[in-house]
Amino acid sequence: AQSVSQHNHHVILSEAASLELGCNYSYGGTVNLFWYVQYPGQHLQLLLKYFSGDPLVKGIKGFEAEFIKSKFSFNLRKPSVQWSDTAEYFCAVTISSASKIIFGSGTRLSIRP
Amino acid sequence: GAGVSQSPSNKVTEKGKDVELRCDPISGHTALYWYRQRLGQGLEFLIYFQGNSAPDKSGLPSDRFSAERTGESVSTLTIQRTQQEDSAVYLCASSLDRGELFFGEGSRLTVL
């Protein structure tokens, strides 16, 4: 069964710092990968997704993620964070478009203004 | 409707009582998911409905938990004989295809 690991539970950065949040999954076959974000007081929403093709995926608000198959990783990056990026970030994986989506435990990102 | 609707938004119940949580997915979405989010923790998969296929119940934590879905519309999650450890936010999400989930606001359950 597939699983997702997010090793950073809480990350604290200053504005303009660069961000990288780790995500590793365990499944040997073809996967679809996602990053979701939950801003304070709001519901979860999709940040970006990877199904196939270019392993560098660009999402909303300047976020991007790189799929590295050999490392079973899908890390989220942003070159310069803003205070408004304060949120909880969840990585997720599914082995096909018709199977369940499994989420990681989440990483809380706090940005100091 | 415009989005996924869940009710009730808040539910306080006594240990041992049964509760029913409702989810109205986005019209036309064939897939529906239930997740549980305990305080400070991630999303725990509970159950997944896809069209007319048999649901994936592999995440239900015990036989006190059950869920139904009528066709491609409303779903109800039922928790029987609630326990304090059932306290959590129960999230529903729906999807048309290709895996993008649209989440509801959640139902916060508190078991006293």
Side-chain angles (χ1 to χ4, degrees), chain B residues 11-19 36-39 41 44 61-62 64-65 79-90 107-112:
Chain B
K11 175 71 176 179
V12 180
T13 191
E14 294 179 346
K15 179 182 172 181
K17 295 285 179 67
D18 297 351
V19 296
R36 178 168 69 178
Q37 187 174 26
R38 290 191 168 117
L39 187 63
Q41 298 187 23
E44 178 185 359
S62 76
R64 296 187 295 105
F65 288 73
I79 309 172
Q80 295 178 309
R81 305 180 303 281
T82 52
Q83 304 293 313
Q84 287 183 331
E85 63 262 28
D86 299 335
S87 296
V89 176
Y90 289 83
S107 292
R108 182 178 299 277
L109 174 65
T110 303
V111 182
L112 302 177

Side-chain angles (χ1 to χ4, degrees), chain A residues 2-4 20-35 48-59 63-77 91-95:
Chain A
Q2 71 266 36
S3 65
V4 182
E20 180 159 2
L21 302 182
C23 172
N24 289 89
Y25 65 93
S26 64
Y27 181 72
T30 301
V31 292
N32 298 328
L33 296 156
F34 310 83
W35 276 96
L48 49 79
K49 60 187 177 185
Y50 171 80
F51 289 130
S52 63
D54 189 343
L56 184 62
V57 179
K58 294 195 184 297
F63 285 92
E64 65 179 30
E66 185 174 12
F67 171 52
I68 303 179
K69 189 174 182 179
S70 61
K71 294 184 177 180
F72 298 90
S73 70
F74 189 56
N75 292 355
L76 182 71
R77 300 195 294 248
C91 183
V93 64
T94 183
I95 60 175

Side-chain angles (χ1 to χ4, degrees), chain B residues 7-8 11 18-22 76-79:
Chain B
S7 61
K11 175 71 176 179
D18 297 351
V19 296
E20 192 171 277
L21 308 177
R22 176 187 169 106
T76 55
L77 176 69
T78 301
I79 309 172

Side-chain angles (χ1 to χ4, degrees), chain A residues 36 43 51 98-101, chain B residues 35 48 56 58 98-99 101 105:
Chain A
Y36 281 81
H43 56 78
F51 289 130
S99 69
K100 63 189 177 186
I101 297 177
Chain B
Y35 292 89
Y48 163 55
D56 182 341
S58 60
R98 303 295 283 169
L101 299 184
E105 301 289 341

Side-chain angles (χ1 to χ4, degrees), chain A residues 34 36 38 41-46 49 51 88 90 97-106, chain B residues 33 35 37 40-43 45 48 50 56 58-59 91 97-105:
Chain A
F34 310 83
Y36 281 81
Q38 187 171 29
Q42 297 185 28
H43 56 78
L44 280 146
Q45 56 188 283
L46 182 68
K49 60 187 177 185
F51 289 130
E88 186 130 22
F90 295 91
S97 62
S99 69
K100 63 189 177 186
I101 297 177
I102 299 299
F103 283 77
S105 56
Chain B
Y33 295 76
Y35 292 89
Q37 187 174 26
Q41 298 187 23
L43 275 69
F45 168 76
Y48 163 55
Q50 173 64 56
D56 182 341
S58 60
L91 292 167
D97 61 15
R98 303 295 283 169
E100 179 174 353
L101 299 184
F102 293 84
F103 282 85
E105 301 289 341

